[in-house]
């Protein structure tokens, strides 16, 4: 475990140089990283195939294999996300507020890097690149601890990014990968107070709760998405069908995919057969309450189904009596990630937005839009479901804190 602390200490030593690195230099490094990823496609895919072979041998689900897979197109996508960061405003140095006191003191609150950001994540090796790029642009060093399932991919990606930093005259320890994928390494990161300034867990509820419970450094919770789409009595049913199918099937293995469909009783009999047909054509298994089963043949939903983040082609279906019932269901079973309402009734939409407690609430749009890239933030480091400091997709500004700078001309307090 001393290796984990050594990695954190090296990142801490690298962080002051990053904090004072100009936007121009950071952008040049991001561009070089993007080019290096594209030039190293074969090397990356070869490493990724090692991970996929292990996943297949271990019987990992098809949906989770999809999260793990890197194709030439996905590698190009990671490179594109890095280049997108170049065009975004550098938050470091931004003056949040400034004023002059009656005694002549000039006070300004400016954004500064957090320092060292550690991230623990599962599957999805693209997170290695997204997190590294966001950390670099926001002036932070990062310590990355991926899962054992993606260790070959993550190792190669980190090597490529570190090689670029060295060539660009930046400290390679600004991007570090923890090779130990045991649970103990996660605990060690959480105890690295003084070396790690922020720890971000990104994965299943078990991982997140373990980090939150054991960590001695500040933590931002991310990612668990038991997301709902509620189709209101006043919904445009054609619009609703498109949204439901997209929210469930566009990419079912990610946290902003819809897991439960709530239907108002006034539209259930007309809409559910159409939606069920479309979903089953995509291979979705439906599990419904008694009313839903009476409309369309499907499995019975168990109490656990309402609380399950499937990350797979499974969807729970419930018919509710009213908007109030839908809001109550979300309050009981949701994870404060992303919740959607489909309705043409603006009063119903306003009430849903006001009363549903979630990081992102969508009106007449798919939950799949909860994404830093879709919001125009570039890559994201995660989607925060908590309420302090950052909430929703976390991009560059969320990876900074602030510092007050006070300038005077000899003033003393009397």
């Amino acid at each position: 475990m001393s290796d984990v602390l050594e990695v954190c200490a090296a990142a801490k030593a690298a962080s002051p140089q990053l904090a004072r690195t100009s936007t121009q230099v950071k952008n040049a490094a991001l561009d070089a990283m993007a080019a290096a990823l594209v030039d190293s496609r074969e090397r990356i895919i070869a490493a990724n195939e090692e991970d996929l072979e292990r996943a297949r041998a271990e019987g990992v689900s098809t949906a989770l294999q999809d999260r793990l897979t890197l194709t030439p197109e996905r590698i190009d996508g990671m490179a594109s996300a890095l280049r997108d960061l170049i065009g975004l405003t550098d938050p470091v140095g931004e003056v949040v507020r400034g004023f002059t006191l009656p005694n002549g003191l000039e006070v300004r609150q400016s954004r500064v890097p957090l320092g060292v950001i550690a991230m623990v994540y599962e599957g999805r090796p693209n997170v290695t690149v997204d997190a590294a790029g966001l950390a670099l642009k926001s002036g932070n060093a990062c310590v990355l601890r991926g899962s054992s399932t993606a260790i070959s991919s993550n190792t190669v990606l980190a090597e490529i990014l570190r090689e670029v930093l060295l060539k660009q005259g930046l400290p390679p320890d600004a991007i570090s990968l923890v090779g130990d994928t045991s649970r103990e390494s996660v605990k060690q990161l959480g105890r690295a107070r003084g070396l790690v300034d922020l720890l971000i867990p990104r994965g299943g509820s078990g991982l997140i709760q373990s980090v939150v419970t054991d960590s001695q450094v500040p933590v931002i919770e991310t990612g668990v998405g038991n997301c709902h789409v509620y189709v209101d009595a006043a919904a445009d049913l054609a619009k609703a069908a498109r949204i439901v199918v997209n929210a469930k099937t566009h990419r079912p293995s990610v946290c902003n995919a819809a897991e439960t469909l709530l239907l108002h009783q006034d539209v259930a009999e007309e809409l559910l057969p159409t939606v069920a047909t479309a979903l089953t054509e995509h291979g979705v298994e439906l599990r419904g309450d008694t009313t839903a089963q009476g409309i369309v043949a499907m499995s019975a939903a168990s109490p656990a189904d309402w609380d399950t983040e499937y990350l797979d082609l499974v969807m729970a279906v419930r018919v509710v009596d009213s908007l109030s019932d839908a809001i109550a269901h979300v309050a009981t079973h949701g994870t404060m990630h992303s919740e959607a309402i489909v309705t043409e009734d603006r009063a119903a939409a306003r009430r849903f937005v006001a009363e549903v407690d979630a990081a992102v609430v969508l009106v007449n749009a798919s939950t799949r839009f909860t994404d830093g890239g879709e919001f125009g933030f570039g890559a994201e480091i995660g989607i925060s479901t908590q309420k302090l400091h950052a909430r929703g997709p976390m991009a560059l500004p969320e990876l900074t804190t602030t510092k007050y700078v006070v300038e005077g001309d000899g003033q003393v307090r009397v």
Side-chain angles (χ1 to χ4, degrees):
M1 285 304 98
S2 62
D3 291 346
V4 176
L5 295 181
E6 287 173 6
V7 169
C8 294
K12 189 71 171 179
S15 62
Q17 181 176 343
L18 284 183
R20 63 176 183 269
T21 298
S22 70
T23 303
Q24 182 179 6
V25 170
K26 290 187 287 189
N27 286 344
L30 289 168
D31 188 54
M33 286 178 178
L37 290 176
V38 173
D39 292 342
S40 304
R41 281 197 202 99
E42 292 184 5
R43 178 181 169 191
I44 296 168
I45 290 174
N48 185 243
E49 184 55 35
E50 294 177 9
D51 292 327
L52 287 170
E53 285 180 7
R54 285 195 302 272
R56 288 189 286 263
E58 294 170 4
V60 173
S61 72
T62 302
L64 292 181
Q65 286 185 46
D66 175 66
R67 291 165 69 99
L68 179 61
T69 301
L70 291 178
T71 62
E73 293 75 20
R74 288 185 180 181
I75 293 170
D76 289 347
M78 292 190 295
S80 178
L82 290 176
R83 292 194 177 101
D84 287 344
L85 288 173
I86 295 172
L88 298 179
T89 301
D90 188 341
V92 178
E94 175 193 350
V95 177
V96 177
R97 57 179 171 175
F99 49 89
T100 302
L101 296 174
N103 62 6
L105 287 177
E106 295 181 356
V107 182
R108 64 181 182 273
Q109 183 186 16
S110 302
R111 292 194 181 277
V112 296
L114 286 163
V116 176
I117 298 171
M119 187 162 186
V120 180
Y121 50 104
E122 298 173 332
R124 299 179 69 179
N126 65 291
V127 175
T128 300
V129 176
D130 290 348
L134 282 162
L136 175 61
K137 180 79 183 217
S138 57
N140 295 289
C142 64
V143 175
L144 307 172
R145 191 279 198 186
S147 64
S148 59
T149 55
I151 186 62
S152 297
S153 304
N154 289 337
T155 298
V156 167
L157 290 170
E159 287 173 355
I160 293 168
L161 299 180
R162 286 169 61 88
E163 290 164 5
V164 171
L165 289 179
L166 190 61
K167 291 177 182 178
Q168 294 292 314
L170 294 171
D173 289 328
I175 300 173
S176 299
L177 181 74
V178 174
D180 186 342
T181 58
S182 69
R183 292 183 179 181
E184 189 60 32
S185 67
V186 178
K187 292 182 179 179
Q188 198 73 7
L189 284 174
R191 295 167 185 162
R193 195 171 180 87
L195 297 177
V196 172
D197 297 288
L198 177 66
L199 179 56
I200 303 174
R202 181 169 170 175
S205 59
L207 168 68
I208 293 172
Q209 290 308 310
S210 174
V211 171
V212 171
T213 301
D214 295 339
S215 183
Q216 297 173 4
V217 302
V219 174
I220 289 182
E221 299 181 48
T222 69
V224 176
N226 187 19
C227 306
H228 301 74
V229 176
Y230 165 60
V231 181
D232 187 50
D236 178 318
L237 299 190
K239 187 183 297 182
R242 291 195 304 272
I243 290 170
V244 172
V245 173
N246 180 265
K248 178 69 261 183
T249 68
H250 183 260
R251 197 171 178 192
S253 63
V254 294
C255 61
N256 59 16
E259 306 291 21
T260 298
L261 170 61
L262 301 175
L263 294 163
H264 193 284
Q265 60 180 352
D266 291 353
V267 298
E269 289 195 11
E270 182 177 355
L271 179 63
L272 185 52
T274 302
V275 169
T277 298
L279 289 172
T280 53
E281 286 175 353
H282 284 82
V284 178
E285 175 194 348
L286 299 177
R287 300 176 185 175
D289 67 357
T290 303
T291 306
Q293 291 176 78
I295 300 171
V296 172
M298 64 181 73
S299 302
S302 70
D305 282 311
W306 309 121
D307 297 305
T308 299
E309 182 189 28
Y310 298 111
L311 301 176
D312 207 344
L313 290 170
V314 182
M315 192 173 207
V317 182
R318 181 183 176 192
V319 178
V320 296
D321 294 336
S322 64
L323 171 60
S324 295
D325 286 346
I327 292 172
H329 181 100
V330 171
T332 302
H333 303 285
T335 53
M336 297 189 291
H337 190 292
S338 300
E339 307 294 351
I341 181 173
V342 184
T343 186
E344 300 303 307
D345 182 341
R346 300 311 298 175
R350 286 193 297 270
R351 183 181 170 199
F352 192 87
V353 168
E355 295 187 20
V356 167
D357 188 6
V360 180
V361 181
L362 303 104
V363 179
N364 294 327
S366 170
T367 56
R368 288 286 289 120
F369 284 107
T370 299
D371 178 89
E374 294 295 325
F375 281 14
F377 298 162
E380 68 180 30
I381 205 164
I383 297 171
S384 170
T385 54
Q386 66 181 39
K387 297 186 180 183
L388 297 180
H389 172 63
R391 199 176 196 200
M394 294 187 296
L396 297 173
E398 287 75 28
L399 299 183
T400 63
T401 184
T402 62
K403 176 187 293 183
Y404 281 95
V405 177
V406 182
E407 293 192 17
D409 187 26
Q411 289 93 332
V412 296
R413 185 170 176 177
V414 296

